[in-house]
Amino acid sequence: MKIAILGTRGVPNYYGGFEQFAEFFSVYLVEQGHEVYVYNSHNHPFQEKFFNGVNILHQYDPEHKLGTFGQFIYDFNCIMDSRKRDFDIILQLGYTSNSIWYFLLPKKSIIITNMDGLEWKRTKYSKPVQQFLKFAERLATTSSDYLISDSLGIEKFIKTRYKKESTYIAYGAHPFINPDVSILKEYNLEKDSYNMIMARFEPENNFEMVLDGVALNEDKTPILVIGKHNTKYGEYLKNKYKLHPNILFLGGIYNLEHLNNLRFFSNLYFHGHSVGGTNPSLLEAMASRAFIMANDNDFNKAILKENAHYFSNPQEVKNILDTIKKSDNLQLVQNNFDAIVNEYNWDKINGEYLQLFEECFSESKKRKHKQ
């Protein structure tokens, strides 16, 4: 098959979850004998035309000049280029800025869209933007030939809201198997002596709920707050908790080896995300054998099941801090790690995507033959 991947800033990954998936999946497809193209932003750090056998198509992306609006122009450029390449399948990762160009998508290609999370629920967006994202989401469900949900919660939502079927395929993570306690010295930490929370600094990731619980607690175990905090919300939080010296704002950490070790050697790992599908950072925490305390919602429970403790307010966070230790719950940690190995490993995820592609391609050929 001749396959294109749209909707990311490009590969190799220098940005986030969809880029990570696009990198792994595109290389996997090439290894399986398919002809694969990934669209990259023109200013992506990788400027070659091939990446591990994957064809790279650079397109002009004015996001650096225009902000978010630039994404719409970049997606327009990618879609217009795709019209002249005769792809069998176009995989769109997300819908936020590309679904408005649905009428320009090549008619002969099979359009498969990963619906991402419920973007319009994110509180960082104004009401008009949230309304637009709802509109874009609906467009994606009607203009795609097939839909993919990366969580059971998203699959249920699409069926309920739009009466559309989607195929559930989760995200993946690599099991972390070589911990190195010496890395903790760089952070002046000792194993099992600190807690942590890591996410983008956005209200729906519930930093404030967790840190309010920490502030209520008399025990002053350090909690590492990891994420790029030079934002309006980040400044608000740093100011609110400036009198709590055990709340340590470390900023963004992008060294995966360091992150894996910090998670592995932590006591409690708080996952506050409340919006989205299969969250990559949650799977990475499971893969790092962190002991997870998760915001109480269907998205997190679908992944963690009974292998985590859940919270929905600061008092519950305080109670967790008072009563729960990782060393008493190692079986839950192992259960989550086993889930990564058996369910959320990249080989399985890539295989499920390819199986869906083959089924869609076969159905399309049968329909054309009947015509």
Side-chain angles (χ1 to χ4, degrees), residues 94-106:
Y95 60 83
T96 305
S97 54
N98 54 17
S99 65
I100 62 165
W101 307 119
Y102 73 94
F103 57 93
L104 296 172
L105 286 163

Side-chain angles (χ1 to χ4, degrees), residues 39 76-87 90 101-107 109:
Y39 282 90
F76 171 82
N77 291 336
C78 294
I79 288 172
M80 291 304 290
D81 184 83
S82 74
R83 291 166 61 90
K84 58 191 181 190
R85 295 191 183 269
D86 200 26
F87 293 121
I90 293 176
W101 307 119
Y102 73 94
F103 57 93
L104 296 172
L105 286 163
K107 299 291 187 284
S109 301

Side-chain angles (χ1 to χ4, degrees), residues 3 16 57 64 86 91 114 129 153 159 180 186 191 212 224 233 257 265 272 351:
I3 298 166
L57 300 172
H64 61 296
D86 200 26
L91 173 63
N114 181 312
V129 173
K159 190 165 188 175
D180 178 4
E186 296 188 33
K191 65 177 184 177
D212 279 350
L224 315 183
Y233 183 59
E257 184 186 5
F265 290 112

Side-chain angles (χ1 to χ4, degrees), residues 187 189 193-215 221-229 233 237-238 241 246-253 258-259 262-274 279 281-282 284-285 290-296 300 311 313-314 317 320-321:
Y187 300 89
L189 298 169
S193 67
Y194 61 93
N195 305 317
M196 64 183 286
I197 181 171
M198 186 178 85
R200 288 184 185 171
F201 272 72
E202 296 173 358
E204 60 269 15
N205 290 337
N206 288 298
F207 280 103
E208 192 166 15
M209 183 187 296
V210 171
L211 297 180
D212 279 350
V214 172
T221 298
I223 182 165
L224 315 183
V225 185
I226 297 176
K228 190 177 176 183
H229 54 61
Y233 183 59
L237 293 175
K238 284 186 286 185
Y241 302 110
N246 61 317
I247 298 177
L248 307 175
F249 289 87
L250 299 190
I253 297 175
H258 283 214
L259 285 176
L262 288 170
R263 287 183 286 227
F264 181 88
F265 290 112
S266 66
N267 177 35
L268 307 180
Y269 178 95
F270 288 90
H271 180 76
H273 294 64
S274 59
N279 186 271
S281 68
L282 176 57
E284 287 167 1
F291 178 37
I292 299 169
M293 313 293 112
N295 180 261
D296 190 349
N300 293 336
F311 62 88
N313 58 59
V317 171
I320 285 171
L321 291 165

Side-chain angles (χ1 to χ4, degrees), residues 220 237-247:
K220 297 307 174 189
L237 293 175
K238 284 186 286 185
N239 185 61
K240 179 173 181 177
Y241 302 110
K242 63 186 178 184
L243 298 180
H244 297 272
N246 61 317
I247 298 177

Side-chain angles (χ1 to χ4, degrees), residues 13 18 92 135 146 169 180 204 234 262 274 352 361 370:
N13 175 31
F18 271 152
Q92 297 187 117
F135 169 69
Y146 300 92
I169 307 177
D180 178 4
E204 60 269 15
L262 288 170
S274 59
E352 289 176 357
F361 188 56
K370 286 180 182 178

Side-chain angles (χ1 to χ4, degrees), residues 49-327:
K49 292 185 177 180
F50 297 95
F51 173 74
N52 292 347
V54 177
N55 297 277
I56 304 299
L57 300 172
H58 289 92
Q59 296 295 314
Y60 180 65
D61 176 6
E63 185 181 1
H64 61 296
K65 291 182 179 177
L66 304 177
T68 302
F69 180 70
Q71 294 176 19
F72 292 89
I73 297 177
Y74 170 57
D75 284 328
F76 171 82
N77 291 336
C78 294
I79 288 172
M80 291 304 290
D81 184 83
S82 74
R83 291 166 61 90
K84 58 191 181 190
R85 295 191 183 269
D86 200 26
F87 293 121
D88 295 311
I89 291 176
I90 293 176
L91 173 63
Q92 297 187 117
L93 297 176
Y95 60 83
T96 305
S97 54
N98 54 17
S99 65
I100 62 165
W101 307 119
Y102 73 94
F103 57 93
L104 296 172
L105 286 163
K107 299 291 187 284
K108 291 183 179 179
S109 301
I110 301 165
I111 308 301
I112 302 176
T113 303
N114 181 312
M115 293 299 292
D116 200 5
L118 305 179
E119 293 300 300
W120 49 268
K121 277 194 171 185
R122 296 192 185 278
T123 52
K124 69 178 179 179
Y125 294 126
S126 65
K127 291 293 183 196
V129 173
Q130 288 177 334
Q131 288 302 116
F132 168 77
L133 290 172
K134 281 187 180 181
F135 169 69
E137 182 180 79
R138 186 170 72 251
L139 281 180
T141 64
T142 56
S143 62
S144 304
D145 298 305
Y146 300 92
L147 303 174
I148 294 172
S149 301
D150 69 7
S151 86
L152 294 171
I154 298 293
E155 180 188 38
K156 180 181 177 183
F157 170 81
I158 290 170
K159 190 165 188 175
T160 303
R161 172 68 66 92
Y162 300 110
K163 306 296 185 286
K164 295 278 187 177
E165 296 294 332
S166 62
T167 300
Y168 165 59
I169 307 177
Y171 199 75
H174 287 302
F176 174 58
I177 53 177
N178 292 310
D180 178 4
V181 72
S182 69
I183 285 173
L184 297 186
K185 292 178 184 176
E186 296 188 33
Y187 300 89
N188 296 314
L189 298 169
E190 295 183 8
K191 65 177 184 177
D192 305 324
S193 67
Y194 61 93
N195 305 317
M196 64 183 286
I197 181 171
M198 186 178 85
R200 288 184 185 171
F201 272 72
E202 296 173 358
E204 60 269 15
N205 290 337
N206 288 298
F207 280 103
E208 192 166 15
M209 183 187 296
V210 171
L211 297 180
D212 279 350
V214 172
L216 287 171
N217 192 47
E218 292 181 8
D219 178 58
K220 297 307 174 189
T221 298
I223 182 165
L224 315 183
V225 185
I226 297 176
K228 190 177 176 183
H229 54 61
N230 57 344
T231 63
K232 184 178 178 182
Y233 183 59
E235 294 301 326
Y236 161 73
L237 293 175
K238 284 186 286 185
N239 185 61
K240 179 173 181 177
Y241 302 110
K242 63 186 178 184
L243 298 180
H244 297 272
N246 61 317
I247 298 177
L248 307 175
F249 289 87
L250 299 190
I253 297 175
Y254 303 103
N255 183 315
L256 188 57
E257 184 186 5
H258 283 214
L259 285 176
N260 283 335
N261 279 286
L262 288 170
R263 287 183 286 227
F264 181 88
F265 290 112
S266 66
N267 177 35
L268 307 180
Y269 178 95
F270 288 90
H271 180 76
H273 294 64
S274 59
V275 175
T278 305
N279 186 271
S281 68
L282 176 57
L283 297 183
E284 287 167 1
M286 295 163 68
S288 302
R289 285 177 275 188
F291 178 37
I292 299 169
M293 313 293 112
N295 180 261
D296 190 349
N297 64 68
D298 289 343
F299 297 110
N300 293 336
K301 284 186 167 179
I303 303 298
L304 294 162
K305 303 181 174 66
E306 298 83 30
N307 298 309
H309 290 265
Y310 295 95
F311 62 88
S312 55
N313 58 59
Q315 186 61 47
E316 290 176 358
V317 171
K318 177 185 182 299
N319 294 343
I320 285 171
L321 291 165
D322 284 339
T323 60
I324 295 173
K325 288 196 297 187
K326 182 176 185 176
S327 56

